[in-house]
Amino acid sequence: MLSLIVFLPLAAALALAALPRLGDAAARWAWVGVAAVDLALVVVVWLQYESPATGELALEEQAEWIPGVNSSYHLGVDGLSLPLIAMTGVIFLACAVYALRETDRPRLQAALFLFLQSVSMGLFVAADLILFFLFFDLSIVGMYFVIAGWGRQGAGRSALKFFLYTFLGSLALLAGFIGLYVAADPHTFDMVALTEQTPLAGSSLAGGLVLAAILFGLAVKTPTVPFHTWLPPAHTDAPAVGSAVLAGVLLKMGTYGFVRIAMPMLPEAWRGWAWVMIAVGVVSVIYGALVSLAQENLKRMIAYTSVNHMGYIVLAVGAAGLVAGDTAEARSVAVTGAVTQMVSHGIITAALFLLAGVLHDRAATYDMAAYGGLAAPAPRFAALFAVGAFASLGLPGLSGFIAEFQVFTGSIAAAPVTAVALLGILVTAALFLRALQGILTGETRGSSVGFTDLRPAELWSVGSLLLLSLLIGVLPRPLLEVIEPAARAVVELVGR
Amino acid sequence: MRPFLLLPEILLFTGGLVVLLGGSFLPRERQWVARLTAAGSLLAAAAAAAVELPGPAKMAMEGTFTVDVTTGVVRIVAAFGTLVVLALVSDEIAGSARESETYALLLFATTGTLVLGGADDLLVVIVGFLLASVPLYGLIGMALTPGGAEAAMKTYLLGAIFGILLMVGTTLLYGVAGTTAYSELTEPLSDAPAGVLAAGVVAVLAGLLFKAGGVPGHYWVPDAAQGAGGAAAAFVTTVPKVGAVVAAYRLIAALPDVLNWPLLIGALAVGSMTLGNLAAYWQTDPRRLLGWSTVSQVGYLLVPVAVAGRSDLALPSLLLYLAGYTVTNLAAFGVTTALSERRDLSSYRGLGRSHPLLGASLVVALLGLVGTPPTVVFVGKLTTATAAWDGGHAWLAVVVLLNTLVSLFYYLRWIAPVYGREPYERTSAGAFTPLRWSSTTAVLTAAVSIGLGIGAGLLWQVVA
């Protein structure tokens, strides 16, 4: 079943690439259809799913791949990955719907995004380090072609920077993986076996170095300060759907790696690095928010809020490493918050980037100063943008609140000093309110004049993402019931 | 003697003779018979090697030549590599005056490669070296262009120097050991004077590295890649490496543990990969760029040689990488021979749109050379780096990964125009007219490089 979810989009991508005579409309709708079927399959998996025991996975599939180095084709899900594959399915479907109006080589674009969808799904269900790395690397390759092929004029430079920077991260990750393999006895790349073994336990220097390599690799992808500099240019030059996937799905590959690989496999080293992670998290939160506040370009602003939002996740997983007797419950709340934040940030930021894409589509600029009083000509755009902004700043009733509330409850209980990161929420609130005020209110002027409101494809894609955020905000239990056992398991594993 | 253990070598050599003599009597428009004969002898050699492959190791020619799994893999990879070159060369020289001679030279050079790969005695290494080198001078010069002549001259002079070095090294080692057979070398060398031992090994390695095209014997590689005809360039940068690197592996594995061999080979490996990568940076001719890239690939190939005998992964990872490198490098060269007139990276602008399959093959080949999964070179790089770490040299694995990052940049310089946004109609070079044989070959080899990566488990079972 998981294999089908992973490879269905790839098969569709190959079919689309191999059919040059296919009409544009047929290609667009084929993309929507395949993305919808894939999401339906994820829903089926969600309904079948039962939480596995600590350190194990549900719905496992395994086949030999490279037995010489004990690497196998091994898939499985748990409470950490299931919400993320669901989010991936939702975001790709939203992008498919949004791209129904695409005119620039829609068949190839659909093929490329279906390829990316396969890769993203594969990464979140991979239970083997080499398989994980394979998907990690291919996600970079796929996104490079999205930015270089469909980005703005001159996007080649940002695409190159993105490729080189994140490839550096992926190589550091690979070095860490090889270190884990060599230290494990018997040698293996299998995640479940490595989690059970915790290789390098007891050798603090080697463990620290291997963790450093893995953390660096994941931190580049996440990205956290100071490894975030590839993100703003990549977003600014990427097409709207590319940004939505990059921020919504690809960034989660980094944070997912923390809870899937770094924490359970190197618990001792993780505890040693916990304060570093907390510091990086707090700096990312505050720095991301402040830089975001200074932006004039809407897309750059949203890009920097991603740095801020990823900071909450890093902060929470760092706090989870501060093992002390009576804080286990609090730490598992922090991890639950972190995973919820991954899902929540994914759908909200994807919605915001799609909305930014609408601005660029109509007036060819992301400059916030060029707009004013947009609420009058484009009420639907204004409403959705306002909801997205409030969701992103963490207003109760929307998913961002559920996530950030748990992150802070858990982190502050484990380490009261992390309360300084609350400043980040304040700044984020200020910057979103400022953006809302500047773009939507006042007299209709500049590029806002004659602005066409959201078309159905845009409305449906963005609207359903925000609706999902609202749903999670109001009824979080179904999601949290999946995440909580897995979060407790992670905290238990990191405490070994 | 057991000459039939050398059946693949015999088949190739007699095939070469038949092609050479028979080709003289064939009219020009019927030279395809010679091509067919050459292909037939390559296939027969590969088949004979495959039949012999699963058996236990055997010694031929009084213990100077080993027939084991390693030799078998070298034979099969080299034969198929030359077969691919034969397909590439068809576009270039079909019906030309030197057609059958080219085929004969290719077969002789391949025989030399096989001899190098199986040699278990320094004297046989010399024979293999000469047999693999001399035809190359002819192949490189066959282009009859000023660049080709210069490259042939350079290769010839360097080949002469490094050939002498190889013989000097052999003499030194014979002087202190009293034998040239690997099986008897270990014992007497363990109490030989360290200085003589080191000098001898370095000199022999230098000769082999000339053949492989790695530092310090790499000077001819970029010129040959640029100046020779496309198929000849593909051949000289691919097939001889297979034999030379395996010969280096056998030598290092036979040496006693009295000097720090991993450090020596590691230094050569780091030198090759770093120099090759840095020199490739600003090349604008795609073939010269590929030439430097093959220098860096020799560096990666030397990594498992450095930990020979120190990790169980070393030999299988080396063979896997050799197979993967051969098919991937030939795919990249195949694209350049398909578009033989395009000798500037920017002239590839728009290839992705006008010929999607060829463009995709180029991307697969280049990203494959970087080591992106799921191509087979990724598995090779992963296992060689793991072998280095496993053998106690984690630094070497780290250097490999850093160099991989460095190499990505220049491969991307080539990929960027292929998928650039500018429509190809606007470029001055006009429409793309890829040659048929070469582009088919490029697409097929690129597909094989992905297929072998996905099926790496099966491949591993063959080489391990």
Side-chain angles (χ1 to χ4, degrees), chain B residues 46-138:
Chain B
V51 170
E52 196 64 52
L53 189 65
K58 303 185 194 83
M59 304 300 286
M61 313 311 278
E62 316 295 338
T64 57
F65 192 91
T66 310
V67 179
D68 54 5
V69 173
T70 311
T71 310
V73 173
V74 169
R75 286 167 165 175
I76 296 173
V77 169
F80 275 106
T82 311
L83 201 61
V84 172
V85 172
L86 221 52
L88 296 182
V89 87
S90 314
D91 289 324
E92 218 167 287
I93 60 161
S96 80
R98 288 181 179 74
E99 197 176 346
S100 55
E101 288 86 337
T102 305
Y103 301 144
L105 289 176
L106 285 173
L107 289 179
F108 292 145
T110 312
T111 316
T113 300
L114 299 197
V115 172
L116 272 178
D120 223 16
D121 187 302
L122 286 169
L123 294 175
V124 181
V125 169
I126 296 178
V127 173
F129 177 90
L130 292 175
L131 190 52
S133 299
V134 175
L136 292 196
Y137 311 143

Side-chain angles (χ1 to χ4, degrees), chain A residues 65-68 104-105 130 133-134 137-138 141 145 148-149 151 160 163-164 167-168 171 174-175 178-179 181-182 187, chain B residues 313 353 363 367 370 372-374 378-379 382-383 385-386 389-390 401 405 408-409 412 415-416 419 421 453-454 457 460:
Chain A
W65 184 29
I66 319 176
D104 184 13
R105 293 165 286 159
I130 296 307
F133 178 79
L134 182 151
D137 237 21
L138 287 180
V141 175
F145 283 112
L160 186 68
F163 202 151
L164 289 174
F167 198 76
L168 171 68
L171 290 173
L174 185 61
I178 295 177
Y181 168 85
V182 172
H187 295 335
Chain B
L313 294 173
R353 273 196 205 192
V363 170
L367 288 182
V370 175
T372 312
F378 164 69
V379 184
L382 169 74
T383 51
T386 309
W389 196 314
D390 192 34
L401 295 179
L405 177 76
L408 176 66
F409 176 74
L412 281 183
I415 292 177
Y419 284 91
R421 303 206 59 182
I454 293 170
W460 186 273

Side-chain angles (χ1 to χ4, degrees), chain A residues 316-342:
Chain A
V317 294
L322 297 174
V323 173
D326 54 347
T327 57
E329 191 53 35
R331 282 180 285 122
S332 91
V333 170
V335 174
T336 308
V339 178
T340 316
Q341 173 77 332
M342 294 183 208

